[in-house]
Amino acid sequence: MDASKKTHNEQDKQKKVVLTGITPSGIAHLGNYIGAIKPALEMAKNDAYNAYFFIADYHSLIKLWDPKLRQEYIYDIAATWLALGLDPTKVVFYRQSDIPEIAELNWILTSVTAKGLLNRAHAYKAAVDQNELEGKADLDSGINMGLFNYPVLMAADILMFNADLVPVGKDQIQHIEIARDIANRFNHIYKTNTLTVPTAMIEEKTQTILGLDGRKMSKSYGNTIPLFAPSKKLRKLIMKIVTNSQLPEEPKSTENCTIFSLYEHFATPSEINALKERYQNGIGWGEAKQILFEKIDSVLTPFREKYDDLMANRHIIDEHLKAGQQKARLEAQKVLSAVRKKAGI
Ligand code: TRP
């Protein structure tokens, strides 16, 4: 085979494949950046890995039914990755729905997945528990098959590209375990080792990123700070961070302090120490918030400019995604044809 025809994965067989996706169900926020995007971009710089990053738009279908908003979120996530320095010539960067092979693999995997395995999935169980709590006669009320099947689609995303490592937050560990189960099940039924069994890479810090109300920053709590909000809006939101009623001159604890913990992700070690000292000596919450705002704003402004530029020139994003689609499909077609052969179709 002509070397130029080799796929991304084939060229670097000795490299581990790292793969992760973000669901476009809201605009990217500080928690996504610190917990998922920043560590994934660090990994992409490491020559030991072949990285696949994608926009999980099929996954967004299960709970977002506004097509215009979906389009906005897809572009927002894509522009965010690109603005933060994702190099689309080094990383395979694509939109899930551009890879029809994933949908086909999803069905093949669905057919080897025990229903009981999905009955035990946390997100589905939580929805059933909620119905029970509300005294609904039908415990599956309001639950669609997309929510139920979500872990299988996620397994298809991962197994499609022979991913070895999947960097995810703690809330996604069960999904990776399900993907491992499904890969083993396929391999066992068809007496093969076609599918690579993936491993989760847990980002320990993910859980500690606090939102405006002091709970974990999450779209579902409505306590997020958008990553690329204009400076004015960013300042306004930071001023809304909930604090206790300590007076300005009282010494303050940096433990479990949303302001301080966000600051730690953006400042240098000496800046962090300096703020810690200010806390010990007493600092007004308003002033602490102003310091946090100035820090985040100065770090994010250059990236925000790139982001705004991409959002105003969406054809550039389209071109990157199209190139990514071509690279990704080349790999996906090889895996899918091996899978089809093993399954006898
Ligand atoms: N479920 C993930 C989330 O909501 C997104 C996702 C979809 C994903 N497919 C994936 C992450 C495959 C890693 C690998 O965060």
Side-chain angles (χ1 to χ4, degrees), residues 60-97:
S60 77
L61 288 167
I62 73 159
K63 59 178 180 213
L64 176 70
W65 294 290
D66 181 330
K68 282 213 181 90
L69 259 186
R70 186 175 350 272
Q71 281 291 306
E72 275 309 295
Y73 296 158
I74 290 170
Y75 279 110
D76 170 83
I77 304 279
T80 299
W81 278 111
L82 292 165
L84 290 168
L86 177 140
D87 178 350
T89 65
K90 293 224 173 86
V91 172
V92 185
F93 177 57
Y94 57 99
R95 178 168 41 202
Q96 183 186 34
S97 65

Side-chain angles (χ1 to χ4, degrees), residues 19-23 54 56 59 150 154 157-158 166 168 172 175:
L19 174 145
T20 196
I22 295 188
T23 308
F54 70 98
H59 279 106
Y150 189 107
M154 194 160 150
D157 292 332
I158 296 167
V166 186
V168 286
Q172 298 289 315
H175 288 148

Side-chain angles (χ1 to χ4, degrees), residues 1-29:
M1 195 198 241
D2 170 357
S4 64
K5 293 221 181 79
K6 283 195 178 165
T7 64
H8 191 72
N9 214 341
E10 242 176 6
Q11 283 163 11
D12 301 299
K13 268 268 147 49
Q14 71 284 18
K15 290 191 180 183
K16 293 247 181 246
V17 173
V18 45
L19 174 145
T20 196
I22 295 188
T23 308
S25 51
I27 61 171
H29 55 76

Side-chain angles (χ1 to χ4, degrees), residues 252-264:
K252 296 182 174 60
S253 169
T254 55
E255 298 265 312
N256 288 323
C257 173
T258 307
I259 301 168
F260 192 82
S261 74
L262 286 174
Y263 190 75
E264 282 182 306

Side-chain angles (χ1 to χ4, degrees), residues 144-165:
N144 63 48
M145 283 304 293
L147 172 71
F148 189 70
N149 198 58
Y150 189 107
V152 183
L153 178 57
M154 194 160 150
D157 292 332
I158 296 167
L159 304 179
M160 186 86 269
F161 297 100
N162 286 319
D164 298 292
L165 298 168

